[in-house]
Amino acid sequence: MKPNNSDKSSSLNLRLPSKKAAKSVAKKTAPSKKILYSIVHAIPGRIRFRIPLLAKDPEYANQLKLVIESDTKVTNVRANPKAASIVINYQVGGISDNQMREHLIGLIQTAQNVVLPKEVTTKSIIGTIFDAVINLIDSTRKINQARNVIVYRRVRTDVWERILSTSRSIIKRLKSATMFILPNKRWRLRGNGEVKSQPLQLQPVREVKAV
């Protein structure tokens, strides 16, 4: 017996994945985009790259600068996103200039996959602590008010309410004064909570043709 048209369409629908599934698979298997670059100038211990993406993508510029600065062989990094260039100074010796150049080219290509660490400030940490204390006082006040309603059948201002209300006002004023005095010092935290970044290890990379 020959299958009718309805049987053919049903079997075809079973074989074809949904559009959402196809997009999901394509997204998972899509490789990282190739970063275009050119070497403008290079001498032992110093190299300058021109990378057009630096001028177009601030996030990539931060990623690349952070990755290169974390390298133990690198002594100084100067990035100029407007000019789409980055100058890297590194220690001479240990490895050849060609190996270091290949290593830096590898970092240019892989920096887009680096997750930037979170940045915190002194003010944000202290502010969070003050806010937590204020929220604790507010929660205690609500509990005390609920107890007064149950016991006295009405909302009344007792000794605890006065103490908690006064404490809240003092802490809010102290917070404002502290936030005004504190310097806005910044730290970068990695995913595991460490403040100090770990140096990157040199790894062999495939040669990438310059553009």
Side-chain angles (χ1 to χ4, degrees):
M1 294 179 64
K2 295 183 179 180
N4 54 28
N5 293 333
S6 61
D7 293 335
K8 291 180 180 180
S9 62
S10 62
S11 62
L12 183 62
N13 290 335
L14 289 174
R15 292 192 186 111
L16 293 176
S18 63
K19 292 182 178 180
K20 184 181 291 186
K23 288 181 179 179
S24 177
V25 172
K27 190 173 182 180
K28 289 180 180 179
T29 57
S32 301
K33 61 182 179 180
K34 183 179 178 180
I35 307 298
L36 302 179
Y37 73 93
S38 61
I39 298 176
V40 180
H41 180 70
I43 58 175
R46 186 176 183 273
I47 186 170
R48 179 183 178 189
F49 290 96
R50 186 177 300 280
I51 307 172
L53 189 61
L54 290 177
K56 302 175 183 178
D57 191 342
E59 183 177 359
Y60 172 76
N62 292 332
Q63 289 170 318
L64 180 60
K65 190 172 186 294
L66 177 64
V67 168
I68 294 178
E69 284 178 339
S70 300
D71 196 287
T72 55
K73 282 284 185 180
V74 174
T75 58
N76 187 40
V77 180
R78 288 186 293 110
N80 188 348
K82 292 183 179 179
S85 68
I86 184 168
V87 179
I88 304 164
N89 294 83
Y90 58 90
Q91 298 174 6
V92 179
I95 62 172
S96 65
D97 291 324
N98 288 335
Q99 287 177 322
M100 189 64 188
R101 185 180 307 176
E102 290 180 2
H103 175 64
L104 293 174
I105 291 172
L107 294 183
I108 291 172
Q109 299 298 327
T110 58
Q112 58 186 320
N113 302 323
V114 173
V115 178
L116 286 176
K118 296 179 180 179
E119 187 176 71
V120 296
T121 64
T122 305
K123 290 186 177 182
S124 65
I125 296 173
I126 300 301
T128 302
I129 295 174
F130 275 113
D131 290 338
V133 175
I134 292 173
N135 290 335
L136 179 62
I137 292 175
D138 290 339
S139 299
T140 307
R141 288 181 66 188
K142 289 179 181 179
I143 295 173
N144 185 63
Q145 291 171 359
R147 185 188 68 84
N148 287 338
V149 170
I150 294 173
V151 174
Y152 301 102
R153 306 287 181 174
R154 62 186 178 87
V155 178
R156 62 191 292 266
T157 303
D158 58 0
V159 177
W160 283 109
E161 177 63 23
R162 295 192 187 95
I163 293 174
L164 292 172
S165 179
T166 303
S167 301
R168 189 180 191 278
S169 299
I170 294 173
I171 291 175
K172 286 196 71 174
R173 293 173 185 172
L174 183 61
K175 176 187 174 183
S176 299
T178 305
M179 299 295 282
F180 179 77
I181 296 172
L182 278 178
N184 200 26
K185 188 174 181 180
R186 297 175 181 271
W187 294 282
R188 285 190 180 276
L189 297 180
R190 293 202 175 272
N192 57 5
E194 294 181 0
V195 176
K196 187 176 180 180
S197 60
Q198 297 294 329
L200 298 178
Q201 298 296 328
L202 292 178
Q203 297 179 354
V205 295
R206 295 181 180 178
E207 184 177 356
V208 183
K209 294 182 179 180
V211 177

